[in-house]
């Protein structure tokens, strides 16, 4: 009995890995003529992965043959994005993209990724940087912090060199004309942990990542680098309101490679737009502290171009350009 | 509240989920290439439709099962199923090749059980204190911990220290591949995108251990299996129990302490436990020959990590290791916010989680002991069937990790390297240790200097880092004294 179970488990694992990405060659007249795959360039179990899985679950009604998520990680997302960029433009491979698509090429760490080789479908979610300090920090407002930064060496933790939250800290620096010591960590949670242990003066990671600590009274967010105040946390001012014109945040969007037929692009966009309005998706996003911000094809394309220019300049200024 | 927690857990379907979780965890852990983190990540999407208790206890079951399951393959095939059992392979496989596979598996099962139970007790009783301790760790402390871990190379080098140091240095060198974590410049990447984030150490491990073992298996294919070994002492002998309980307590505690430090996981804990067991042993020279305490120490420590890793997650809302990070995601999907407010807002769930941890460990013990005979059958499988199966699993495992053919190539390359290492009697374990600890030592060394503005005294400026400094000196000096002492006795 137990032997059977083990044999079945082993077979299931082997079969699962063999056939997971397999049957993509089914031919048919109209899209979707087979199963579709969302490539998530970040690891299983993380935020990008779970948002993509929730989206895939909500899109399932439009894909009778199924829609799955496949993780292809490495190089801060460049490996997965490059894989999706080079896939056949038949709508069967959809790629999740993030600001790294327009950041990494400027730091020379993006391999061959190029946002111009993608057709953007839609952005489903965004999260803006939050300038956060420890609850017992002497800095009560952003002004306090920036004044202190003129005379003192303030250490700011981020999620890695050249990462979006490093650029967020650097963006504020540029806007306010001060200098921080940027301390790169291996991911946001390591930086937050270090701040909780009072080893840093602040962090510049996303609000979603510090929200639970702020609610519990362990950390304090001084400002968000967002265009508007966050609807769930209206007490926190934006940097713009305080006179520092800087908006930096991450987002999760979905793309297909250039060359994909227009009908397929329209179908996918409509499917995503429908999926983000389902109750299960909305509830999932609320529970996981992910703000839904839907941006359609045209605005997404503009955003890519605008951010590409913005990050090119910022990365150049802070000396990370290659 | 506790009554409600019991009501939540002792529902037949919840208990069934724990059993299922542990059983699939053991299978996942057994298979090289399917790591604990990956197992939990694979199960995560299945929990989206469940309620909170079912979901979190299923994941805990998988976690506990997988950390233990890795030791089965390590002992029987000299192929650690997960990095956390790489230290167990050192003596476990030796004991199994002496015909005592049953005893080795029994020791690993019972010390895993005790280590796991101890960590649950700490989790329930003193997690706020341990969480405070964990927060004291900053870059200098992490660096000292990593260096302390690297000292273990001296314990796992096998016969020749020089060869051990060479292979440890190889591991650290391999760890420098990728984007520099502090300055962002490229190192040894040859413009290959797959190398940007460094070499993934799982394919390296599969290659060095499993693949190279399979190559050697090919050589021995024609030889008949020498003895049809009887599997005895699956339930440890009375004479072993004293040692198991002692190791369980000591190294289970150590595992919990290491587990609660964010970013340090079961792999590091088991190596450190092995090294410590050797330093404080009365006969360190017998380590590496199949010593019972050399199996008990790493196994107690790696299961001790399971409870420890949950401590910062439940009390602070920060992950203790990669698995806890996924569990935080799972809790959030359920609408629960891990962190300081979890106890106040969702008390029953937290208590249910505590009770579930105990049940998962008991379940692992019962399932483990009962399936040992089944797993040990692997030893009587003819080489002509076993070896091709291992080849297949190596390929599948290294591909499945990240759907990457590049990883398969890495695995194959290190399979060949590992074969020659074995032929020249160089231990492969220091390579793995170097790969795991190298990046931790390097990035924290530089981060510490960045934060202290280049002041080296930062490394001995706090109680914790001084303690590590002393421990490093002791663990390096102790073997020298022991040698002198032994000589005098003779």
């Amino acid at each position: 009995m137990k032997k059977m179970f083990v044999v079945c488990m082993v077979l299931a694992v082997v079969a699962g890995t063999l056939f997971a990405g397999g049957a993509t060659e089914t031919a048919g007249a109209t899209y979707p003529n087979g199963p579709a795959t969302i490539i998530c360039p970040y690891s299983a179990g993380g935020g990008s992965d779970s948002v993509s899985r929730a989206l895939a679950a909500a899109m399932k009604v439009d894909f009778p043959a199924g829609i799955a998520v496949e993780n292809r990680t490495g190089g801060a997302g460049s490996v997965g994005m490059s894989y999706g960029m080079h896939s056949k433009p038949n709508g069967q491979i959809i790629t999740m993209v993030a600001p790294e698509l327009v950041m990494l090429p400027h730091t020379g760490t993006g391999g061959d990724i190029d946002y111009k080789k993608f057709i953007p479908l839609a952005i489903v979610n965004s999260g803006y940087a939050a300038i956060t300090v420890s609850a017992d920090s002497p800095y009560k407002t952003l002004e306090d912090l920036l004044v202190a930064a003129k005379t003192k060496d303030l250490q700011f933790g981020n999620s890695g060199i050249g990462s979006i939250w490093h650029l967020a800290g650097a963006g504020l620096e540029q806007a306010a004309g001060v200098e921080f010591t940027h301390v790169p960590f291996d991911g946001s949670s390591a930086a937050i942990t270090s701040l909780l242990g009072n080893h840093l003066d602040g962090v510049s990671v996303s609000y979603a990542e510090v929200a639970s600590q702020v609610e519990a009274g362990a950390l304090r967010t001084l400002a968000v680098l967002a265009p508007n105040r966050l609807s769930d946390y209206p007490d926190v001012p934006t940097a713009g309101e305080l006179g520092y014109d800087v908006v930096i945040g991450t987002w999760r969007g979905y793309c297909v490679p250039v060359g994909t037929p227009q009908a397929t692009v329209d179908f996918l966009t409509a499917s995503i737009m429908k999926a983000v309005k389902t109750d299960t998706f909305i509830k999932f996003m609320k529970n996981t502290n992910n703000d839904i911000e839907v941006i359609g094809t045209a605005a997404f394309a503009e955003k890519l171009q605008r951010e590409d220019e913005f990050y090119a300049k910022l990365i150049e200024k802070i000396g990370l350009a290659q | 509240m506790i009554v409600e927690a019991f009501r939540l857990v002792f529902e037949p379907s919840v208990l069934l989920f724990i059993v299922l979780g542990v059983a699939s965890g053991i299978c996942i852990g057994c298979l090289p290439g399917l790591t604990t983190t990956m197992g939990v990540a694979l199960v995560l999407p299945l929990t989206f439709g469940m309620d909170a208790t079912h979901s979190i206890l299923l994941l805990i079951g998988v976690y506990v099962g997988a950390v233990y399951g890795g030791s089965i393959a390590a002992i029987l095939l000299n192929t650690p199923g997960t990095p956390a059992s790489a230290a167990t392979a050192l003596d476990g496989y030796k004991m199994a090749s002496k015909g005592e596979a049953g005893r080795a598996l029994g020791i690993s099962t019972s010390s895993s059980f005790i280590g796991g139970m101890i960590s649950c007790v700490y989790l329930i009783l003193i997690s706020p204190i341990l969480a405070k301790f964990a927060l004291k760790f900053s870059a200098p402390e992490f660096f000292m911990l990593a260096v302390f871990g690297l000292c273990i190379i001296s314990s796992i080098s096998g016969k020749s220290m020089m060869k051990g140091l060479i292979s440890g240095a190889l591991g650290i060198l391999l760890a420098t591949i990728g984007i520099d974590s502090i300055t962002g410049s490229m190192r040894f990447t040859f413009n290959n995108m797959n190398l940007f984030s460094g070499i993934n150490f799982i394919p390296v491990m599969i290659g060095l251990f499993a693949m190279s073992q399979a190559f050697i298996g090919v050589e021995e294919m024609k030889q008949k299996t020498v003895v049809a070994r009887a599997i005895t002492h699956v339930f440890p002998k009375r004479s072993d129990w004293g040692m198991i309980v002692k190791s369980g307590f000591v190294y289970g505690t150590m595992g919990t302490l290491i587990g609660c430090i964010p970013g340090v996981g079961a792999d590091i804990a088991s190596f450190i436990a092995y090294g410590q067991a050797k330093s404080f042993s009365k006969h360190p020279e017998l380590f590496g020959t199949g010593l019972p305490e050399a199996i008990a120490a790493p196994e107690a420590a790696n299961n001790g990590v399971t409870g420890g890793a949950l401590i910062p997650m439940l009390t602070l809302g920060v992950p203790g290791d990669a698995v806890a990070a996924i569990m935080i995601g799972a809790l959030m999907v359920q609408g629960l916010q891990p962190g300081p407010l979890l106890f106040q807002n969702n008390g029953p769930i937290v208590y249910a989680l505590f009770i579930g941890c105990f049940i998962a460990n008991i379940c692992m013990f019962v399932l483990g002991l009962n399936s040992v005979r089944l797993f040990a059958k692997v030893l009587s499988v003819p080489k002509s069937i076993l070896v091709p199966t291992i080849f297949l699993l190596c390929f599948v495992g290294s591909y499945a990790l990240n759907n990457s053919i590049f990883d398969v190539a890495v695995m194959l390359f290190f399979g060949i390297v590992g074969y020659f290492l074995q032929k020249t009697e160089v231990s492969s374990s220091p390579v793995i240790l170097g790969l795991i600890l190298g990046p931790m030592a390097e990035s924290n060394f530089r981060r510490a200097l960045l934060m202290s503005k280049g002041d080296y005294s930062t490394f001995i400026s706090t109680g914790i880092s001084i303690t590590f400094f002393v421990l490093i000196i002791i663990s390096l000096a102790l073997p020298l004294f022991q040698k002198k002492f032994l000589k005098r006795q003779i």
Side-chain angles (χ1 to χ4, degrees):
Chain A
M1 185 60 207
K2 223 168 252 153
K3 190 173 181 183
M4 275 301 284
F5 174 73
V6 174
V7 170
C8 288
M9 281 296 290
V10 172
L11 284 179
V13 169
V14 172
T17 42
L18 280 181
F19 304 127
T24 41
E25 300 298 332
T26 343
T30 52
Y31 186 81
N33 45 4
T37 303
I38 295 179
I39 300 294
C40 173
Y42 302 100
S43 62
S48 295
D49 176 63
S50 51
V51 168
S52 296
R53 282 180 202 275
L55 185 72
M59 287 168 75
K60 208 156 251 169
V61 283
D62 293 325
F63 292 84
I67 175 162
V69 173
E70 192 176 307
N71 306 86
R72 284 181 183 264
T73 64
S78 56
V79 170
M81 288 191 245
S82 168
Y83 174 85
M85 193 177 85
H86 291 293
S87 64
K88 270 189 206 157
N90 55 10
Q92 279 169 346
I93 302 277
I94 303 151
T95 313
M96 195 213 97
V97 299
E100 280 74 9
L101 176 62
V102 287
M103 285 161 42
L104 299 178
H106 305 300
T107 49
T109 55
D112 59 355
I113 57 169
D114 179 1
Y115 79 96
K116 292 188 206 79
K117 290 188 181 151
F118 276 119
I119 302 177
L121 303 171
I123 285 177
V124 301
N125 145 251
S126 61
Y128 294 95
I131 304 303
T132 305
V133 297
S134 163
D136 45 17
S137 155
Y139 314 117
K140 307 279 182 215
T141 63
L142 187 65
E143 204 54 46
D144 290 351
L145 182 88
L146 294 175
V147 167
K150 294 220 158 84
T151 52
K152 272 171 55 185
D153 167 54
L154 293 187
Q155 301 190 334
F156 258 74
N158 62 55
S159 52
I161 181 90
S163 70
I164 178 82
W165 306 131
H166 177 197
L167 297 184
L172 178 67
E173 227 175 17
Q174 298 285 332
V178 293
E179 251 182 63
F180 302 133
T181 299
H182 296 284
V183 185
F185 284 84
D186 188 14
S188 299
S189 67
I192 296 168
T193 311
S194 194
L195 179 64
L196 285 173
N198 275 323
H199 306 293
L200 292 170
D201 294 302
V203 294
S204 48
V205 303
S206 77
Y207 188 76
E209 288 163 310
V210 294
S212 65
Q213 305 292 345
V214 173
E215 275 169 55
L219 299 180
R220 177 169 60 235
T221 295
L222 303 179
V224 286
L225 307 187
N228 302 301
R229 290 193 179 203
L230 305 179
S231 58
D232 287 347
Y233 312 98
D235 296 343
V236 180
T238 66
E241 283 172 39
L242 303 169
Y244 305 101
D245 180 26
V246 50
V247 172
I248 293 181
T250 189
W251 38 262
R252 296 182 177 113
Y254 294 85
C255 289
V256 286
V258 163
T260 309
Q262 190 57 39
T264 305
V265 172
D266 294 342
F267 180 92
L268 281 168
T269 312
S271 175
I272 293 174
M273 291 300 188
K274 207 166 68 187
V276 293
K277 293 196 184 78
T278 57
D279 291 341
T280 46
F281 185 77
I282 293 174
K283 186 166 167 244
F284 174 89
M285 296 296 275
K286 192 158 181 54
N287 281 346
T288 50
N289 271 338
N290 284 302
D291 287 328
I292 297 183
E293 180 173 348
V294 182
I295 298 177
T297 307
F300 186 4
E302 258 171 52
K303 189 180 174 80
L304 280 174
Q305 199 184 346
R306 197 173 60 236
E307 296 204 347
D308 183 60
E309 287 163 18
F310 173 76
Y311 287 122
K313 267 188 224 144
L314 181 59
I315 288 167
E316 173 84 49
K317 266 189 202 155
I318 61 174
L320 277 177
Q322 298 262 319
Chain B
M1 192 138 73
I2 294 176
V3 178
E4 197 185 338
F6 270 101
R7 197 180 53 76
L8 281 174
V9 178
F10 286 94
E11 199 182 297
S13 61
V14 175
L15 292 175
L16 179 72
F17 271 48
I18 300 180
V19 176
L20 274 179
V22 173
S24 42
I26 293 177
C27 295
I28 287 167
C30 255
L31 294 170
L34 290 179
T35 60
T36 313
T37 316
M38 199 177 157
V40 176
L42 281 177
V43 178
L44 175 69
L46 304 179
T47 69
F48 287 175
M50 301 175 189
D51 72 28
T53 325
H54 283 86
S55 136
I56 195 72
L57 292 185
L58 176 68
L59 295 177
I60 291 210
V62 175
Y63 186 22
V64 170
V67 169
Y68 156 71
S71 69
I72 298 174
I75 290 171
L76 294 176
L77 300 170
N78 197 14
T79 304
T82 62
S85 56
T88 313
L90 293 166
D91 279 69
Y93 181 67
K94 285 277 159 50
M95 184 184 275
S97 12
K98 282 195 258 171
E100 293 187 298
R103 185 178 173 214
L105 287 169
I107 292 171
S108 108
T109 311
S110 26
S111 46
S112 294
F113 168 68
I114 295 176
M117 291 302 255
I118 292 288
S119 78
C120 291
V121 174
Y122 287 123
L123 172 66
I124 294 170
L125 294 181
I126 53 166
S127 48
I129 301 170
L130 289 179
K132 244 186 214 153
F133 161 76
L135 279 186
K136 291 224 167 79
F137 273 73
S138 182
E141 288 83 6
F142 279 117
F143 169 71
M144 295 305 268
L145 172 63
V147 173
F148 177 56
L150 285 170
C151 294
I152 310 300
I153 289 180
S154 66
S155 304
I156 56 174
S157 297
K159 283 178 200 132
S160 155
M161 173 81 89
M162 188 52 79
K163 285 176 179 172
L165 287 175
I166 292 173
S167 86
L170 176 69
I172 296 174
L173 197 65
L174 286 172
T176 60
I177 295 175
I179 296 170
D180 180 312
S181 63
I182 304 293
T183 62
S185 49
M186 298 281 194
R187 298 192 300 196
F188 309 114
T189 52
F190 304 103
N191 235 349
N192 184 337
M193 220 188 320
N194 294 299
L195 288 173
F196 285 2
S197 42
I199 286 193
N200 190 334
F201 73 86
I202 306 292
V204 178
M205 193 185 82
I206 300 176
L208 285 179
F209 289 95
M211 199 68 180
S212 65
Q213 196 66 30
F215 284 138
I216 287 173
V218 173
E219 287 180 355
E220 297 166 352
M221 194 102 86
K222 286 276 155 60
Q223 296 169 14
K224 286 243 164 76
T225 318
V226 199
V227 246
R229 301 168 182 114
I231 299 299
T232 52
H233 303 301
V234 170
F235 195 81
K237 287 184 289 190
R238 195 172 292 165
S239 54
D240 279 344
W241 267 110
M243 180 279 299
I244 291 173
V245 171
K246 201 180 128 219
S247 303
F249 270 96
V250 174
Y251 298 106
T253 305
M254 182 186 241
T256 312
L257 282 177
I258 294 175
C260 77
I261 303 167
V264 188
D267 39 10
I268 297 177
S270 57
F271 272 115
I272 291 187
Y274 184 91
Q276 288 313 296
K278 187 173 179 180
S279 318
F280 292 106
S281 165
K282 288 192 194 89
H283 30 69
E285 70 284 357
L286 291 179
F287 271 66
T289 59
L291 217 55
E293 54 255 53
I295 301 171
E299 279 306 304
N302 67 25
N303 273 80
V305 168
T306 57
L310 299 178
I311 291 174
M313 169 179 114
L314 291 176
T315 50
L316 305 167
V318 297
D321 66 0
V323 179
I326 298 174
M327 284 191 198
I328 288 182
L331 283 170
M332 286 170 80
V333 171
Q334 302 294 340
L336 303 173
Q337 194 67 254
L341 295 179
L342 188 64
F343 279 87
Q344 286 171 36
N345 298 344
N346 305 90
I349 295 278
V350 179
Y351 286 104
L353 193 153
F354 289 161
I355 302 166
C357 283
F358 278 113
I359 299 177
N361 274 294
I362 295 168
C363 187
M364 172 206 84
F365 187 54
V366 175
L367 279 180
L369 285 185
N370 283 302
S371 53
V372 159
R373 280 168 201 285
L374 172 78
F375 282 118
K377 286 227 171 75
V378 117
L379 292 178
S380 46
V381 173
K383 282 258 159 68
S384 54
I385 296 174
L386 186 63
V387 170
T389 313
I390 296 179
F391 274 124
L392 183 72
L393 284 175
C394 288
F395 278 93
V396 171
S398 48
Y399 181 76
L401 195 65
N402 198 12
N403 300 315
S404 156
I405 284 292
F406 184 80
D407 282 349
V408 177
V410 169
M411 183 277 294
L412 209 55
F413 176 79
F414 283 98
I416 296 165
V417 171
Y419 174 80
F420 287 105
L421 288 182
Q422 288 221 15
K423 284 285 158 190
T424 46
E425 292 193 323
V426 177
S427 166
S428 309
S429 306
V431 182
I432 297 298
L433 196 65
L435 261 178
I436 296 172
L437 290 173
M440 182 175 155
E442 193 212 350
S443 61
N444 282 301
F445 177 74
R446 296 172 61 191
R447 193 175 295 133
L449 288 179
L450 185 69
M451 290 166 85
S452 74
K453 305 244 152 294
D455 180 2
Y456 283 86
S457 69
T458 182
F459 294 110
I460 40 166
S461 60
T462 64
I464 297 174
S465 49
I466 293 172
T467 311
F468 275 120
F469 188 71
V470 173
L471 283 174
I472 290 167
I473 303 226
I474 292 178
S475 65
L476 289 180
L478 204 61
L480 296 177
F481 282 114
Q482 273 170 342
K483 236 182 221 166
K484 263 198 181 146
F485 184 67
L486 280 176
K487 262 186 204 150
R488 210 176 301 158
Q489 267 192 334
I490 295 161

